[in-house]
Amino acid sequence: MKRIGILTSGGDAPGMNAAIRAVVRSAIYNGMEVYGIKRGYAGLINGDFVKMDLGSVGDIIHRGGTILRTARSEEFKTPEGMEKALKNIEALGLEGLVVIGGDGSFRGAIELSKRGVATIGIPGTIDNDIPFTDYSIGFDTAVNTVVEAVNKIRDTATSHERTFIIEVMGRESGNIALYSGVACGAETILVPEIPFTINDVCNKIMSGYRRGKLHSVIILAEGAGHGFDVGREIKNITGFETRVIVLGHLQRGGTPTAFDRILASQMGGKAVELLKSGMSNKMVGWVKGELLVTDLEQILTAHKVFNIELFELANILSI
Ligand code: ADP
């Protein structure tokens, strides 16, 4: 394989730049040429390509976001969009493509591989909702960002003896809520994977209050409800003052943690190795401390396993 492309697609995630750097440098080391495709699949359609060299990925390993930019492209899902993309790929002579993104981006990668373009996916999303990998790039950074924010909120929660509801990202996944909730010692973690009632949440707040707790921190995954609705309901039932904080996009930014940089570097290196050995339609994952290669189709049909043991432990530790 002589010439490959790389793109980032869907939501950005801290560590994507470390993955781009790893792909570009590993590919050049292996004698390949690399083209960066701007704004995900939109750039494939518009022919927005830039030749990458060793220097073009210098000084980016510590930066959040993605130097290639990212986008969502509805046009790419249409036959006309796909045709334009394939023409550009052929004109440039790209034989392989590395796609860094979430499951939507992998659907696009599968479509390309069906049409003869060797594609390798790297899971890049703060949500950590991709099966066959324990972690996706950006998740660890996002969890640490939430933990830092909650540390600050705790100070005022204690001083004012209030119940704080902190809504975190994750789309349909409760992973950011679970991991940050455990790390923060949250009183309650609400996730879409585990059904709950507001009455149960209120009973826990009140029993904590009776035994002298000064505050209550509730971490709510966005997929499990809206912070302001939950806050209003808790106030109505318990009479306690509630404060709601929606952390929002600050969870997507910031300098990636060492863990995310190392994960991204290893996944990027492996993606190039797979393309070099003629593989296609695969995702590079990280399971139990080792790189794992899985068919992209399998990723889309499987469900991410929720860590029930960790959730139950969190409940025990917050009684
Ligand atoms: P993520 O990759 O973070 O899950 P999206 O679901 O928004 O993000 O998908 C990113 C992009 O992947 C879409 O804008 C589209 O260009 C492409 N994509 C998604 N689904 C398909 C599909 N079925 N066929 C082709 N391309 C797709």
Side-chain angles (χ1 to χ4, degrees):
M1 187 156 295
K2 282 271 156 269
R3 194 174 281 179
I4 66 168
I6 177 167
L7 59 81
T8 48
S9 167
D12 67 329
M16 280 183 162
N17 282 328
I20 295 168
R21 171 179 177 272
V23 168
V24 170
R25 296 226 166 132
S26 303
I28 292 173
Y29 175 83
N30 281 287
M32 300 175 189
E33 285 183 341
V34 192
Y35 280 81
I37 295 143
K38 294 284 188 76
R39 295 177 189 83
Y41 294 118
L44 266 189
I45 292 171
N46 303 328
D48 203 352
F49 303 143
V50 51
K51 176 116 190 266
M52 309 293 280
D53 58 25
L54 293 173
S56 60
V57 290
D59 203 25
I60 65 167
I61 195 167
H62 60 298
R63 290 183 206 279
T66 159
I67 59 160
L68 292 177
R69 310 285 178 252
T70 184
R72 296 193 159 92
S73 166
E74 282 307 307
E75 193 184 356
F76 186 67
K77 296 184 189 171
T78 66
E80 298 75 32
M82 175 59 75
E83 197 155 316
K84 282 189 206 165
L86 287 170
K87 270 200 186 131
N88 286 329
I89 289 172
E90 202 183 340
L92 194 63
L94 294 184
E95 295 167 90
L97 182 68
V98 178
V99 172
I100 307 171
D103 55 352
S105 304
F106 293 163
R107 281 177 212 281
I110 290 170
E111 294 306 316
L112 283 171
S113 74
K114 279 185 196 159
R115 291 162 176 84
V117 183
T119 54
I120 301 294
I122 294 180
T125 160
I126 64 164
D127 302 333
N128 203 25
D129 57 352
I130 311 276
F132 296 102
T133 189
D134 292 343
Y135 299 104
S136 54
I137 295 169
F139 172 69
D140 185 65
T141 305
V143 168
N144 277 286
T145 300
V146 173
V147 171
E148 263 178 57
V150 175
N151 287 344
K152 292 178 180 159
I153 292 163
R154 247 187 197 286
D155 290 343
T156 190
T158 310
S159 305
H160 286 276
E161 307 188 7
R162 283 204 174 115
T163 296
F164 272 78
I165 294 113
I166 297 138
E167 185 187 310
V168 301
M169 281 183 161
R171 294 201 288 190
E172 292 308 307
S173 164
N175 273 320
I176 293 180
L178 173 62
Y179 282 74
S180 62
V182 171
C184 294
E187 274 68 30
T188 301
I189 301 170
L190 302 175
V191 294
E193 291 87 348
I194 310 282
F196 61 90
T197 67
I198 290 294
N199 274 331
D200 291 342
V201 175
C202 292
N203 286 339
K204 190 162 182 191
I205 294 172
M206 287 190 286
S207 71
Y209 180 74
R210 280 194 291 272
R211 79 162 174 80
K213 271 198 183 192
L214 294 179
H215 60 249
S216 200
V217 170
I218 298 172
I219 308 273
L220 168 72
E222 65 180 345
H226 294 296
F228 288 99
D229 295 342
V230 172
R232 205 177 309 113
E233 287 177 69
I234 291 174
K235 175 148 201 261
N236 287 345
I237 294 171
T238 63
F240 293 155
E241 280 294 323
T242 57
R243 292 286 181 271
V244 179
I245 296 172
V246 180
L247 289 180
H249 280 79
L250 71 84
Q251 295 161 90
R252 289 247 292 259
T255 183
T257 58
F259 180 88
D260 270 330
R261 298 181 201 191
I262 296 164
L263 182 73
S265 299
Q266 291 184 98
M267 286 177 166
K270 186 71 179 178
V272 171
E273 192 188 307
L274 294 178
L275 284 176
K276 196 183 164 197
S277 63
M279 301 259 236
S280 176
N281 212 16
K282 308 280 182 199
M283 184 195 83
V284 182
W286 177 258
V287 174
K288 293 190 168 61
E290 283 182 20
L291 291 169
L292 178 83
V293 178
T294 311
D295 288 341
L296 279 177
E297 268 100 355
Q298 254 186 292
I299 307 291
L300 299 185
T301 49
H303 279 290
K304 177 95 175 169
V305 178
F306 187 70
N307 193 339
I308 302 272
E309 290 80 19
L310 188 59
F311 183 82
E312 285 172 351
L313 178 67
N315 278 337
I316 292 168
L317 300 184
S318 62
I319 48 172

